[in-house]
């Protein structure tokens, strides 16, 4: 079973109904650094106690899009975003395999470039010309004036996009990892941890169907 460090702060289903795991009091007494996180978990548990069910937002996520889909999504949602979130995934810290955008908490676009199947990497796009068009779309969005936000995007995502694809991301308003440093220097900075503190939904890594994900 998963360790408490992977479950804590995240709402999960159990034989007893909805529960929110956190550190045991004796563990907190042995390791006082767990105190602040446990207090945050208890505040979240109090909020969650108002409903017996796990609440989730209805979402519209465009996956495996065509080039036309990409531009349609941007015209409908991305171009109007108050903050456009973006996130890349890299394989073995060598190559960008996919990129995702979210215009708000409901609408998102996922653009794959290649995937792994039977120990082989396979290009998602049917030919090089179409893949080039997909990258031109990504470049158009990221170099637009739409305000942007990301997790560790300045040090990681922007570095890879500029190094590998000559894409210079413009108008970054916030980096959630840097914001978390300013908010609580002593606490963990990962996106999973921040989600366990601030979000009222299940951990996304706990509900995905692909359990052997290779991407970093």
């Amino acid at each position: 079973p998963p360790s408490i460090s992977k479950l804590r702060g995240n709402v999960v289903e159990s034989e007893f109904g909805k529960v929110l795991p956190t550190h045991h009091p004796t563990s907190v007494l042995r390791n006082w650094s767990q105190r602040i996180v446990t207090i945050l978990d208890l505040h979240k548990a109090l909020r969650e106690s108002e409903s017996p069910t796990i609440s989730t937002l209805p979402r519209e996520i465009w996956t495996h899009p065509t080039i036309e889909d990409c531009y349609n999504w941007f015209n409908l949602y991305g171009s109007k975003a108050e903050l456009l979130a973006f996130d890349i995934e890299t394989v073995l810290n060598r190559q960008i395999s996919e990129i995702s955008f979210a215009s708000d908490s409901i609408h998102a676009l996922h653009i794959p470039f290649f995937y792994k199947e039977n120990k082989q990497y396979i290009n998602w796009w049917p030919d090089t010309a179409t893949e080039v068009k997909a990258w031109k779309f990504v470049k158009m969005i990221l170099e637009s004036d739409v305000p942007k936000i990301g997790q560790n995007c300045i040090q990681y995502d922007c570095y890879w996009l500029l190094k590998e694809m000559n894409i210079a991301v413009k108008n970054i308003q916030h980096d959630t990892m840097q914001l978390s440093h300013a908010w609580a220097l002593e606490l963990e900075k990962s996106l999973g941890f921040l989600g366990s503190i601030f979000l009222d939904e299940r951990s996304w890594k706990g509900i995905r169907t692909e359990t052997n994900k290779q991407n970093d």
Side-chain angles (χ1 to χ4, degrees):
S3 65
I4 188 63
S5 62
K6 294 184 180 298
L7 290 176
R8 59 132 300 277
N10 291 290
V11 181
V12 296
E13 295 280 6
S14 77
E15 58 182 305
F16 308 105
K18 182 174 72 170
V19 297
L20 192 148
T22 191
H23 297 292
H24 194 280
T26 57
S27 177
V28 177
L29 290 175
R30 289 194 302 268
N31 187 352
W32 200 238
S33 63
Q34 295 175 352
R35 175 177 176 270
I36 182 63
V37 175
T38 305
I39 291 174
L40 291 170
D41 287 343
L42 292 175
H43 279 289
K44 183 173 180 178
L46 180 62
R47 298 194 305 271
E48 287 291 337
S49 67
E50 297 176 358
S51 170
T53 60
I54 297 177
S55 59
T56 57
L57 291 172
R59 290 190 167 91
E60 181 182 323
I61 304 175
W62 297 28
T63 62
H64 302 166
T66 64
I67 299 300
E68 183 181 6
D69 288 336
C70 292
Y71 283 96
N72 286 339
W73 184 91
F74 183 70
N75 291 331
L76 286 170
Y77 307 118
S79 61
K80 303 177 179 66
E82 294 183 9
L83 277 176
L84 182 69
F86 70 99
D87 182 48
I88 67 168
E89 297 293 339
T90 56
V91 170
L92 302 176
N93 285 325
R94 292 180 181 177
Q95 188 174 349
I96 299 172
S97 60
E98 56 196 282
I99 184 166
S100 298
F101 299 96
S103 58
D104 51 42
S105 58
I106 297 176
H107 302 98
L109 170 69
H110 171 253
I111 305 175
F113 286 97
F114 65 89
Y115 59 96
K116 191 174 185 179
E117 187 175 276
N118 297 326
K119 298 183 180 181
Q120 291 185 336
Y121 290 107
I122 301 172
N123 197 333
W124 162 254
W125 299 99
D127 51 60
T128 302
T130 310
E131 182 180 354
V132 169
K133 290 179 181 178
W135 276 116
K136 286 183 176 179
F137 169 78
V138 171
K139 183 178 179 69
M140 180 274 294
I141 285 190
L142 293 176
E143 294 188 349
S144 72
D145 291 329
V146 177
K148 300 173 186 71
I149 185 173
Q151 165 76 359
N152 195 25
C153 61
I154 296 176
Q155 291 183 321
Y156 191 82
D157 299 58
C158 291
Y159 164 78
W160 275 99
L161 287 161
L162 185 61
K163 174 179 179 289
E164 295 295 319
M165 305 308 302
N166 196 31
I167 296 174
V169 184
K170 297 180 180 177
N171 202 13
I172 299 175
Q173 297 292 307
H174 301 293
D175 185 318
T176 51
M177 180 172 283
Q178 293 188 7
L179 288 172
S180 65
H181 274 281
W183 167 64
L185 185 63
E186 74 281 8
L187 296 182
E188 190 180 339
K189 308 302 184 295
S190 72
L191 194 60
F193 175 80
L194 296 177
S196 74
I197 296 296
F198 293 111
L199 299 183
D200 296 330
E201 300 188 58
R202 292 175 294 173
S203 167
W204 50 91
K205 291 187 177 180
I207 61 176
R208 72 186 183 197
T209 57
E210 182 188 354
T211 57
N212 61 344
K213 189 176 182 183
Q214 297 292 321
N215 296 351
D216 296 323

